[in-house]
Amino acid sequence: MSADSQRVVYRIHHQTHYGYALPVRLSHQVLHLTPRELPWQQCLSHTVNVLPAPQLVRSYADNFGNIIKAFSLDTDHTSLDVQADSWVALTPRGQPQESMAWDEAAMSMAYHGGRMMAPGMLDASNFLFESSHVRIKREFIRYAAECFVPGVSVVEGVRALMMRIHEEFAFDPTATTVSTPVTEVFVNRRGVCQDFAHLMLSCLRSIGLAARYVSGYLLTEPPPGQPRLIGADASHAWVSVYCPDPEGGEGSWIDADPTNGVFPDTSHITLGWGRDFLDISPLRGVLIGGGQQTMQVAVTVMPGEEARGLQLSI
């Protein structure tokens, strides 16, 4: 069966609404809402609508190659609506292939004075260290050690760690906020996809493997006989682990979703990646004024055949 015959198309509608108790006089916003172009993913179209409408929306790539849209509003406003509408095509990636031993991979990523790194390995080295939401600690080394015994391959170690987190941590949207430390998530064994991604990253980086935070969407299916609920989905997060090439080539990245215990394929749509959530949050900005604010986010991911001609504004 050809890759084209297995291609799936999705429409993603992502709406964010901010309400402000007092007028906002100046607002600068940065959006990470443009799906990436990847060997298995093609962005067929992407539009962003903002109300109040800014005079100019700039697009540029960040340090990780993600497409950013940025705008400013300098007129008083008491609400802000951002709607992103994307059509994306995916082809199957297949299961990760066998790889080198994880301890060999960690050794090859370790610093050696005067050594020249291949471009792929140099890029991956950005994801070896602590960041705002990821910690390198002995407790994470001990937790990962059961999965990464000496000599086990990177793929099998990642699979074991992904499944351990999936089985031992409870999905609980009320247990954490965006600022909950990963150490607290580790103790309480509860959280959401963002927390589980940060936890898995902390374990992987603590044992010397390069791993990045991936932001995107996941197709969810309604219960049998029930219609798909518009706006009921949410952003998703998982991790991607770097495996060096023993021959000195570019190496490869292995995606893993600890929330669901699966290696991502055609149900996972990739927006972008960074060191953690802070690098790739869907909408982030600064403002003057506003007072107290409220935020509502509604996401809809639909197969293309369901979405054609459907009005998704919420």
Side-chain angles (χ1 to χ4, degrees):
M1 186 179 294
S2 68
D4 284 345
S5 65
Q6 296 177 280
R7 189 175 88 149
V8 292
V9 176
Y10 298 114
R11 183 182 182 185
I12 306 104
H13 187 81
H14 188 141
Q15 178 172 0
T16 305
H17 170 82
Y18 284 98
Y20 306 109
L22 300 171
V24 174
R25 302 184 61 185
L26 178 65
S27 175
H28 298 295
Q29 300 293 333
V30 173
L31 315 180
H32 284 100
L33 292 171
T34 306
R36 284 192 75 125
E37 291 288 333
L38 300 165
W40 62 86
Q41 176 175 292
Q42 179 185 8
C43 184
L44 304 175
S45 69
H46 175 71
T47 58
V48 173
N49 292 309
V50 181
L51 288 175
Q55 290 186 328
L56 176 67
V57 177
R58 299 185 298 116
S59 294
Y60 58 94
D62 67 11
N63 292 338
F64 306 112
N66 306 304
I67 300 300
I68 289 177
K69 294 185 183 296
F71 64 87
S72 298
L73 295 169
D74 58 4
T75 56
D76 286 3
H77 55 282
T78 56
S79 66
L80 174 66
D81 281 281
V82 178
Q83 296 190 47
D85 198 67
S86 306
W87 286 82
V88 176
L90 282 83
T91 53
R93 306 190 217 178
Q95 291 295 298
Q97 299 301 305
E98 279 307 309
S99 57
M100 69 164 62
W102 79 269
D103 34 7
E104 183 183 347
M107 182 67 69
S108 67
M109 291 301 298
Y111 174 75
H112 300 282
R115 182 186 62 162
M116 295 292 291
M117 276 188 167
M121 188 178 292
L122 188 62
D123 175 68
S125 66
N126 288 304
F127 306 100
L128 279 171
F129 310 106
E130 283 197 346
S131 54
S132 298
H133 293 286
V134 177
R135 293 289 175 261
I136 292 177
K137 290 185 173 292
R138 291 187 182 92
E139 61 199 277
F140 296 131
I141 295 175
R142 289 192 290 268
Y143 187 78
E146 184 178 311
C147 305
F148 287 90
V149 297
V152 76
S153 71
V154 174
V155 170
E156 288 310 311
V158 167
R159 187 196 309 273
L161 179 60
M162 170 180 74
M163 294 308 301
R164 186 175 187 192
I165 294 172
H166 173 65
E167 292 165 1
E168 296 183 3
F169 286 73
F171 187 88
D172 183 355
T174 66
T176 59
T177 68
V178 293
S179 59
T180 301
V182 67
T183 50
E184 185 176 320
V185 174
F186 184 65
V187 170
N188 295 333
R189 296 293 203 268
R190 313 184 76 80
V192 294
C193 59
Q194 170 186 302
D195 302 308
F196 303 152
H198 288 149
L199 171 63
M200 190 165 178
L201 291 175
S202 295
C203 292
L204 292 164
R205 294 185 198 170
S206 291
I207 62 171
L209 294 176
R212 60 196 183 193
Y213 180 100
V214 185
S215 173
Y217 305 103
L218 175 67
L219 176 70
T220 57
E221 295 295 343
Q226 298 295 315
R228 191 179 302 278
L229 296 178
I230 304 301
D233 296 323
S235 297
H236 193 47
W238 58 96
V239 308
S240 192
V241 190
Y242 180 71
C243 184
D245 182 350
E247 303 300 323
E250 286 295 295
S252 59
W253 290 89
I254 303 164
D255 281 18
D257 180 353
T259 303
N260 295 289
V262 298
F263 288 117
D265 199 7
T266 54
S267 293
H268 289 69
I269 301 108
T270 302
L271 274 179
W273 52 69
R275 294 164 298 179
D276 57 34
F277 172 78
L278 205 60
D279 283 335
I280 195 67
S281 54
L283 194 151
R284 186 179 176 204
V286 295
L287 49 86
I288 296 176
Q292 287 191 327
Q293 59 180 277
T294 58
M295 181 181 72
Q296 295 176 311
V297 178
V299 176
T300 302
V301 181
M302 301 187 75
E305 60 271 17
E306 290 185 32
R308 297 187 194 284
L310 185 65
Q311 177 64 38
L312 292 182
S313 294
I314 302 165

